[in-house]
Amino acid sequence: MVTRGFVGRRPKADDARRLPPGQSLTTDFPVLSLGPTPAVRLERWKLAITHDRKVLASWSWEEFQALPHTPITADIHCVTKWSRFDTQWEGVTIDALLLAGGVTPPTQFVLAKCYDGYTTNIPLADQRGAQAMIATRYAGEPLAAEHGGPARLLVPHLYLWKSAKWIAEFRFVEWNAPGFWEERGYHIRGDPWQEQRYTNDP
Amino acid sequence: MIWQTAVIERIEQTTPRVKSFFFRVALEHHDAGQHVDIRLTAQDGYQAQRSYSIASAPGAELLELVVEHLPEGEVSSFLHDVAVVGDEIEMRGPIGGHFVWRQSDEGPLLLIAGGSGIAPLMAMLRTRPATDTLLIYSTRTWEDVIFRDELLAMDARVRVIFLITRELPRRAEDFGTRIDRGVLGSVMKQWGCAPRHVYVCGATSFVEAAATALVDEGIPAAIIKAERYGGA
Ligand SMILES: Cc1cc2nc3c(=O)[nH]c(=O)nc-3n(C[C@H](O)[C@H](O)[C@H](O)COP(=O)(O)OP(=O)(O)OC[C@H]3O[C@@H](n4cnc5c(N)ncnc54)[C@H](O)[C@@H]3O)c2cc1C
């Protein structure tokens, strides 16, 4: 349906090709979180890989720093309609993390659990061999708290609510059980190129 | 969720930079606090989408959206400068299952808004909460207070405090400062209730400041819900 009188402010053709449907390009870094920004102290920070109440591997902040870090550049897309190109992150890829922890994935589904109580589900297939990582640096600086610091999950090919901020636990679960937003009207997978914003989107 | 056609039935300029748009649209029932998406389409198929909170009460005949005019803003400028009564806009919703309040959630209720962030909190207030309610509403000037008359006429159980950041406050109970721990502490002390739910809405920097002040004042993070509109 054409909207009478709407012309719009078009992105350049090159940018338009990189923008998923319904997204617009921003140069800011907006924030989407469900409550206040938690202050997670590095001395008490811990990341655990778990399954069925057992800890399969875990790292303190110092131990995590010693893992092999990888830089990536990715376009990111938030369900609130903004996208940002060429964001630069550094962290430990999920492949490297599983390898370092000596973890053979016990299931194919993961629920990320966070210091603020947030959860989100991401099948392992969306995290392996891809750019998915536990990111601790953004644009060459330690990741700011409001953007998920000290460490967040980053799964750049899905809407950013999947990239859980303030991650604490990487929990293997038996099925693709919905997380926080997925239980509150948002799509179970969240692929921006298919515009999977809300529960019943195709 | 499908796109529906919403028809603009009325437009009201409520402050120098804000208009309310009243739509006739057959969305499903909404809860106070939820938002809708709107989608605009140009002749050649180019589209833009944005989210707007629902300001009208659940069950109201027309759906009210409160839109602040951002200079150069693609969608807010279109709505302010081009859209007229009778125009059709694509809309879908209601959306969001976190930033919502229902009568059955009870209270006391603490609502904190910056600028157009009053919209979803207005939907809550318009359901006439049967609980003690405190609204702290920050705007630059007295002229920028959206829904001012309606807020000043609220029931006795709703206490309204304005934080006016760029001029002197007009009422004795209001403050001429931005939100911080000091203001929050003294307003809450006067109110004398311990909130059961807290809702904070507005531009991102406002929400960050308010949420930090709340946590510093000892309000448990788990009862604070935030909606960030973007911007600086
Ligand atoms: C869940 C949700 C609910 C929202 N509800 C409302 C609402 O009820 N009323 C309302 O007016 N807006 C609301 N917004 C913001 C709205 O979706 C748009 O972002 C806003 O109208 C700007 O769109 P635009 O196309 O005019 O500006 P754009 O062309 O997208 O942006 C113009 C510039 O303004 C900046 N900007 C974006 N938003 C803001 C802001 N809020 N304050 C200051 N600068 C900003 C952008 O970063 C950009 O630099 C909501 C956003 C979300 C995510």
Side-chain angles (χ1 to χ4, degrees), chain A residues 9 24 26 28 80, chain B residues 35 50-53 66-68 70-77 116 119 203 227-232:
Chain A
R9 183 190 57 211
S24 51
T26 180
D28 319 333
T80 61
Chain B
H35 68 271
R50 295 290 184 280
S51 301
Y52 292 96
S53 302
V66 168
V67 180
E68 177 177 346
L70 296 182
E72 323 264 302
E74 182 176 28
V75 172
S76 63
S77 296
S116 54
E227 188 86 281
R228 293 163 170 87
Y229 278 180

Side-chain angles (χ1 to χ4, degrees), chain A residues 1-4 6-10 22 24 31 33-37 81 180-181 184 186 195 198 201, chain B residues 1 37 40-42 44 46 49-51 72 74 78 82 84 87-88 92 95 97-98 204 208 225-226 228:
Chain A
M1 183 188 99
V2 172
T3 314
R4 186 197 64 81
F6 178 65
V7 182
R9 183 190 57 211
R10 284 124 208 277
S24 51
V31 177
S33 318
L34 50 104
T37 296
K81 316 282 171 358
F180 185 88
W181 287 121
R184 290 167 177 76
Y186 288 79
E195 205 172 4
Y198 310 121
D201 289 347
Chain B
M1 204 178 292
D37 282 358
L40 309 179
T41 306
D44 64 353
Y46 168 78
Q49 288 187 33
R50 295 290 184 280
S51 301
E72 323 264 302
E74 182 176 28
F78 167 82
V82 182
V84 295
D87 280 349
E88 296 182 339
R92 64 177 185 161
I95 297 156
H98 175 61
T204 300
E208 286 297 316
K225 296 189 163 98
R228 293 163 170 87

Side-chain angles (χ1 to χ4, degrees), chain A residues 4 21 29 33 39 74 81-82 85 91 110 119 138 140 169 183:
Chain A
R4 186 197 64 81
F29 195 164
S33 318
K81 316 282 171 358
W82 58 267
F85 292 161
V110 173
T119 58
Y138 176 76
E169 184 183 341
E183 277 190 333

Side-chain angles (χ1 to χ4, degrees), chain A residues 6 22 32 50 97 124 126 128 130-131 145 152 157 172-173 179 184:
Chain A
F6 178 65
L32 173 71
T50 65
L97 193 73
L124 194 59
D126 269 316
R128 301 216 66 168
Q131 292 183 309
R152 76 181 293 171
H157 68 285
F172 283 99
V173 290
R184 290 167 177 76

Side-chain angles (χ1 to χ4, degrees), chain A residues 10-198:
Chain A
R10 284 124 208 277
K12 294 196 295 277
D14 284 354
D15 292 344
R17 271 190 290 277
R18 287 168 72 181
L19 274 177
Q23 294 293 106
S24 51
L25 189 57
T26 180
T27 49
D28 319 333
F29 195 164
V31 177
L32 173 71
S33 318
L34 50 104
T37 296
V40 182
R41 304 222 319 264
L42 293 184
E43 313 88 82
R44 298 178 50 191
W45 184 88
K46 209 178 95 175
L47 176 69
I49 301 181
T50 65
H51 176 235
D52 203 13
R53 292 165 185 230
K54 286 191 286 289
V55 176
L56 306 182
S58 81
W59 295 270
S60 67
W61 183 253
E62 235 170 43
E63 290 163 347
F64 189 82
Q65 296 311 303
L67 300 180
H69 282 57
T70 310
I72 66 158
T73 300
D75 296 351
I76 54 176
H77 312 290
C78 179
V79 72
T80 61
K81 316 282 171 358
W82 58 267
S83 292
R84 196 174 164 164
F85 292 161
D86 299 319
T87 57
Q88 297 186 329
W89 303 82
E90 203 181 303
V92 179
T93 64
I94 300 305
D95 286 330
L97 193 73
L98 294 173
L99 190 68
V103 174
T104 310
T107 77
Q108 289 305 306
F109 304 102
V110 173
L111 192 70
K113 302 200 67 173
C114 304
Y115 281 95
D116 63 336
Y118 180 74
T119 58
T120 187
N121 59 293
I122 321 98
L124 194 59
D126 269 316
Q127 305 188 63
R128 301 216 66 168
Q131 292 183 309
M133 61 163 50
I134 307 289
T136 56
R137 296 178 75 79
Y138 176 76
E141 303 281 340
L143 184 58
E146 65 185 38
H147 296 306
R152 76 181 293 171
L153 184 62
L154 179 69
V155 189
H157 68 285
L158 300 179
Y159 282 123
L160 215 55
W161 88 77
K162 295 288 184 183
S163 293
K165 298 178 182 184
W166 315 296
I167 189 166
E169 184 183 341
F170 192 91
R171 179 184 290 185
F172 283 99
V173 290
E174 307 312 313
W175 63 291
N176 197 18
F180 185 88
W181 287 121
E182 294 82 6
E183 277 190 333
R184 290 167 177 76
Y186 288 79
H187 198 274
I188 193 77
R189 175 141 189 271
D191 178 353
W193 290 98
Q194 297 184 55
E195 205 172 4
Q196 294 171 335
R197 296 180 195 276
Y198 310 121

